Amino acid sequence: MRTVFWDYNSNQLNMIDQRLLPSTFEIAVFDDYHNVAKAITDMVVRGAPAIGAAAAFGLALAAIKSKATSFEELRRELNTAADLLLQSRPTAINLHWAIHRVLSHIPGSCNDVDELRQFILNEAQAIADEDIEINKRMAKNGAQLIQDGDTIIHHCNTGALATVDWGTALGVIRMAHDQGKHIHVLVDETRPRLQGARLTAWELSQYKIPYDIITDNAAGYFLHSGQVQKVLFGADRVASNGDVANKIGTYMLALAAFDNNVPAFSVVPTSTIDLSLNTGNLIPIEERPQAEVLDITIAERKVSPEGATAKNPAFDITPNRLITGIITENGIVYPPYDENLQKVVITTTKP
Ligand code: MRU
């Protein structure tokens, strides 16, 4: 089943509600783009490619449900919807990429309101379908690097749930496992939202890939004691110099990997590469609510004292010097990234 999919009978968007996993599997249904934007902010759907597809379908909802009677009126409404969807989360470039792709691909010959509605839906569907195909290409490229017997540390959730299906870094692990390689995954629990402990562990159980959940701060121990051969993670945005914005904790993980000569790879579709930014320091870092840190409970008691405050950056920047390679659907990119990344980014312009 896909993480994000359109129901053609009801003309509604369906998404797995990732906040409820692993205890409850539930499909959330959307017929209003405002609610899609809120679902992205609230992390009903999360993971860079998945929120890109969700935003594209959000535009489709705006188009299909609109009462506009002229092309110009619908075009204006789409711009309003795009503005709202763009604000839903700031770091993952896939959201911008998907919205830009849908709106910029509207053919010049299209001037009929129903034709426009159909075009937006078709384009959103194409983004979703292509995502799976791209993930499988990335997975095949990355699986070449995985050796039989490897133990891999994985951060956050980069699997089918973070995409439309299959996954990025977890997709590589899945492909290597399907190729018959024996792999053990050390799953960073990924505080504070625990995407690793909740979502990655759930996915690995389904694929029957052996794993252990580790606390984020145990990664250094496993790397230093020689128990790990690779570190894999995704990215929410890659700058043109190869700096990587990814889930908070990636920087410390990559540092520990570097210090112990363990290769660390970021696995990304080329839609995650932002060639307009020449350094990761320009990538906006989302600050999420303090409650995500402060409301953690043990034995039904809040861990933090009453009145405590918290800082909760959702992402960090890993400098390019710590990244061994960047695995994309168009090949594996090695340093110097400022020269080599642009070779894999193929700009698609439609006639
Ligand atoms: O805050 P999230 O859960 O949306 O963050 C997701 C990640 O950081 C993933 O590692 C990233 O999107 C790349 S995986 C497709």
Side-chain angles (χ1 to χ4, degrees):
M1 171 178 284
R2 293 183 178 199
T3 302
V4 178
F5 60 100
W6 188 262
D7 180 337
Y8 282 88
N9 292 322
S10 62
N11 266 338
Q12 289 174 319
L13 175 60
N14 290 1
M15 300 198 282
I16 297 173
D17 189 339
Q18 301 192 35
R19 298 167 307 176
L20 309 179
L21 287 168
S23 58
T24 305
F25 184 92
E26 202 171 285
I27 303 293
V29 180
F30 299 86
D31 61 5
D32 180 332
Y33 76 84
H34 296 87
N35 295 337
V36 176
K38 187 166 182 321
I40 295 173
T41 304
D42 293 348
M43 296 173 73
V44 171
V45 61
R46 33 68 47 203
I51 63 177
F57 280 124
L59 280 182
L61 275 179
I64 301 281
K65 306 290 172 185
S66 161
K67 298 199 167 29
T69 50
S70 73
F71 177 89
E72 290 71 26
E73 194 186 350
L74 181 55
R75 193 69 184 76
R76 276 196 301 277
E77 287 183 14
L78 285 172
N79 286 342
T80 307
D83 286 346
L84 183 79
L85 289 160
L86 282 171
Q87 285 165 28
S88 56
R89 287 194 83 186
T91 303
I93 191 66
N94 305 63
L95 200 147
H96 300 247
W97 170 86
I99 288 177
H100 176 76
R101 169 170 158 171
V102 172
L103 295 182
S104 67
H105 280 189
I106 297 170
S109 58
C110 175
N111 51 19
D112 173 78
V113 69
D114 285 330
E115 204 185 318
L116 180 55
R117 284 192 176 94
Q118 195 55 50
F119 172 82
I120 304 290
L121 178 57
N122 291 350
E123 195 68 10
Q125 186 63 55
I127 287 174
D129 294 343
E130 285 167 28
D131 181 67
I132 303 171
E133 185 254 326
I134 286 168
N135 289 339
K136 291 199 174 156
R137 275 163 53 201
M138 269 189 295
K140 280 190 188 134
N141 291 338
Q144 298 165 35
L145 300 169
I146 310 298
Q147 306 295 315
D148 191 29
D150 273 358
T151 293
I152 301 170
I153 295 188
H154 174 277
H155 196 61
C156 196
N157 173 269
T158 67
L161 291 167
T163 59
V164 176
D165 199 356
W166 194 266
T168 61
L170 206 62
V172 168
I173 290 170
R174 198 172 160 185
M175 183 65 74
H177 171 79
D178 282 4
Q179 290 171 349
K181 293 173 188 165
H182 299 88
I183 299 162
H184 193 86
V185 186
L186 294 177
V187 177
D188 271 358
E189 59 178 2
T190 317
R191 297 226 173 168
R193 294 288 298 229
L194 300 169
Q195 290 94 329
R198 294 190 303 110
L199 307 176
T200 299
W202 182 75
E203 283 199 44
L204 288 170
S205 303
Q206 317 231 341
Y207 312 144
K208 303 203 178 346
I209 300 175
Y211 70 87
D212 289 298
I213 298 172
I214 61 170
T215 58
D216 298 350
N217 41 13
Y221 161 76
F222 285 106
L223 286 157
H224 189 63
S225 54
Q227 299 181 58
V228 179
Q229 285 71 48
K230 308 261 169 5
V231 167
L232 291 184
F233 43 81
D236 287 74
R237 200 184 298 213
V238 178
S240 67
N241 69 343
D243 290 350
V244 165
N246 192 50
K247 178 53 55 195
I248 193 76
T250 305
Y251 172 48
M252 293 209 309
L253 175 62
L255 264 179
F258 188 79
D259 193 45
N260 291 287
N261 293 315
V262 174
F265 292 93
S266 177
V267 188
V268 300
T270 50
S271 54
T272 302
I273 300 170
D274 185 354
L275 292 178
S276 76
L277 302 182
N278 58 18
T279 159
N281 297 333
L282 298 171
I283 299 174
I285 299 294
E286 177 183 11
E287 182 74 29
R288 291 196 58 87
Q290 295 186 37
E292 290 183 351
V293 177
L294 298 174
D295 289 356
I296 290 174
T297 56
I298 293 182
E300 292 172 21
R301 288 168 194 270
K302 253 176 87 166
V303 169
S304 51
E306 219 36 63
T309 55
K311 292 192 186 302
N312 186 17
F315 301 95
D316 58 24
I317 307 293
T318 301
N320 54 22
R321 68 187 168 83
L322 303 177
I323 311 264
T324 310
I326 298 176
I327 299 166
T328 78
E329 74 275 23
N330 294 331
I332 304 174
V333 184
Y334 292 99
Y337 294 116
D338 44 8
E339 279 175 31
N340 293 339
L341 268 176
Q342 51 194 315
K343 294 182 194 159
V344 295
V345 179
I346 299 154
T347 342
T348 48
T349 36
K350 276 199 172 171

